[in-house]
Amino acid sequence: MANSNKNGIASTNISALHCIDLSSPDIHTSVSLLKKACLDSGFFYVVNHKISQEFTDEVFAQSKKLFDLPLEEKMKLLRNEKHRGYTPVLDEHLDAVNQINGDYKEGYYIGVEALEDDPDAQRPFYGSNVWPTAGILPGWRETMEKYHQEALEVTKAVSRLIALALDLDADFFGQPEFLGKPIGTLRLLHYEGKLSDPSTGIFGAGAHTDYGLITLLATDDVCGLQICKDKDAKPQIWEYVPPLKGAFVVNLGDMLERWSNGIFRSTLHRVLGNGQERYSIAYFVEPSHDCLVECLATCQSKDNPPRYPPIKCETYLLQRYKDTHVDLCSYK
């Protein structure tokens, strides 16, 4: 019989992810572990990422303060046409085929801040954020802007290891046309205490793959994230990714799978509620708007030609947002 932990999760259903130490001087080992993870599931932990636990705790505390506001106050911060601001429970359908309702979570989007007089402010995924007033949540904006900046630095550190794992120069993704002016989106998430039931289509977050480059996920100590390494298996086998104190869960998005010609994995994942409240903080990173995403030279050969045509990052993201039913139709 399988052992169970305090959340009643069978140990045989827990995924054993590789853990990458960003402070390790042994780059060879770090790259080797990361490459194994990217070939296997595209999910791994990173530790010693230079964001202090004290500051992370403060970000979670500020996130909770926002979600604790009365609904009428949160609705005043409802997401705008640039997809910034509050998203209510059931607002998002990540798995329209299997979900009977939307996701049992509420969220808050914070993107790259671009003022109206900035030429980039007219582009999709850039623009003005929606901020709660300082009178309601003092210091909230400053905390989130600082976290946004620090999470981007972690992403850049991870991207250097990914580049080496793809036999590229370490600074490949750091070039101006790639992560020089990245599209970074911070999303605060709160899962209410709704108990999920996949058999009846009830999910905290429906099954999906991320469509960008890299995602960093910070979680509280409540388990809920699951991954499915083989989406075509029947039945699908789902494994829990347990929280690891002080670590980010990192996963690759479809854009990196496309860039690597399908060599690196973007894996199906979902969130199941177990009756407890759960908070998490996701940071999604894509390259610059005009970046051309095309098969990397190190990922193609005569026997393995490019599987996908080149596409501009902005075009690709708009297509994917539309395909996953996220409301950005104003950017047609």
Side-chain angles (χ1 to χ4, degrees):
M1 181 180 294
N3 294 324
S4 297
N5 66 14
K6 64 181 180 180
N7 288 324
I9 302 166
S11 61
T12 52
N13 293 331
I14 293 180
S15 186
L17 299 184
H18 290 296
C19 187
I20 314 300
D21 185 345
L22 292 184
S23 70
S24 173
D26 188 352
I27 299 299
H28 177 77
T29 297
S30 296
V31 170
S32 177
L33 287 174
L34 181 140
K35 186 170 186 176
K36 289 177 182 177
C38 293
L39 293 171
D40 175 49
S41 68
F43 272 79
F44 50 92
Y45 298 111
V46 296
V47 295
N48 293 325
H49 41 66
K50 296 184 179 180
I51 298 181
S52 71
Q53 187 61 52
E54 181 181 17
F55 181 54
T56 300
D57 291 343
E58 174 61 19
V59 177
F60 271 98
Q62 293 284 8
S63 174
K64 186 176 187 303
K65 287 180 180 179
L66 175 96
F67 292 122
D68 282 346
L69 291 174
L71 181 59
E72 58 267 26
E73 289 296 325
K74 290 184 286 190
M75 292 302 287
K76 294 176 184 177
L77 303 168
L78 195 64
R79 63 176 178 172
N80 61 18
E81 72 281 356
K82 286 297 184 80
H83 214 55
R84 313 293 178 86
Y86 176 69
T87 57
V89 175
L90 305 181
D91 180 72
E92 194 168 27
H93 261 86
L94 288 175
D95 183 6
V97 173
N98 296 305
Q99 288 180 265
I100 61 169
N101 297 314
D103 294 349
Y104 281 92
K105 69 178 191 301
E106 55 182 343
Y108 201 93
Y109 283 99
I110 303 167
V112 175
E113 185 79 27
L115 301 178
E116 290 185 5
D117 59 352
D118 186 332
D120 284 332
Q122 305 307 314
R123 307 197 72 163
F125 315 111
Y126 271 16
S128 298
N129 284 299
V130 176
W131 298 108
T133 64
I136 295 177
L137 294 175
W140 199 89
R141 173 175 178 171
E142 291 76 12
T143 298
M144 297 306 164
E145 288 184 324
K146 179 182 177 183
Y147 188 82
H148 199 293
Q149 295 169 356
E150 293 196 7
L152 177 60
E153 293 307 309
V154 177
T155 302
K156 289 179 178 179
V158 173
S159 75
R160 287 192 282 272
L161 296 179
I162 290 174
L164 292 172
L166 289 168
D167 297 319
L168 302 165
D169 290 338
D171 294 328
F172 177 84
F173 292 109
Q175 297 177 75
E177 62 268 33
F178 298 145
L179 291 178
K181 294 185 71 174
I183 300 169
T185 304
L186 176 63
R187 192 169 190 202
L188 312 175
L189 294 165
H190 170 227
Y191 296 85
E192 58 178 32
K194 179 76 172 180
L195 187 65
S196 295
D197 184 356
S199 66
T200 59
I202 304 295
F203 298 91
H208 64 286
T209 56
D210 292 349
Y211 29 79
L213 187 66
I214 305 171
T215 303
L216 303 182
L217 182 71
T219 69
D220 61 14
D221 60 357
V222 178
C223 209
L225 175 64
Q226 290 186 322
I227 63 174
C228 174
K229 295 180 181 179
D230 184 359
K231 64 182 179 181
D232 296 319
K234 296 189 183 301
Q236 291 178 334
I237 299 173
W238 289 91
E239 301 173 349
Y240 278 97
V241 175
L244 181 63
K245 187 72 170 179
F248 280 115
V249 178
V250 181
N251 67 280
L252 311 183
D254 296 342
M255 185 180 291
L256 189 53
E257 182 175 288
R258 183 186 184 107
W259 228 331
S260 68
N261 210 25
I263 294 174
F264 280 3
R265 302 279 305 281
S266 175
T267 292
L268 202 64
H269 53 285
R270 68 187 187 187
V271 174
L272 296 189
N274 63 3
Q276 301 179 72
E277 277 191 297
R278 179 176 181 269
Y279 293 86
S280 64
I281 302 170
Y283 186 71
F284 305 96
V285 176
E286 286 82 43
S288 307
H289 285 79
D290 295 322
C291 170
L292 188 65
V293 180
E294 57 184 337
C295 182
L296 297 167
T298 57
C299 298
Q300 58 180 290
S301 65
K302 182 178 179 181
D303 296 327
N304 185 30
R307 305 181 190 180
Y308 313 97
I311 189 170
K312 193 168 72 169
C313 174
E314 179 181 305
T315 304
Y316 173 76
L317 290 175
L318 288 173
Q319 288 179 358
R320 290 305 309 276
Y321 267 86
K322 183 179 178 181
D323 291 344
T324 50
H325 309 284
V326 177
D327 183 17
L328 278 183
C329 297
S330 59
Y331 295 135
K332 289 181 181 177

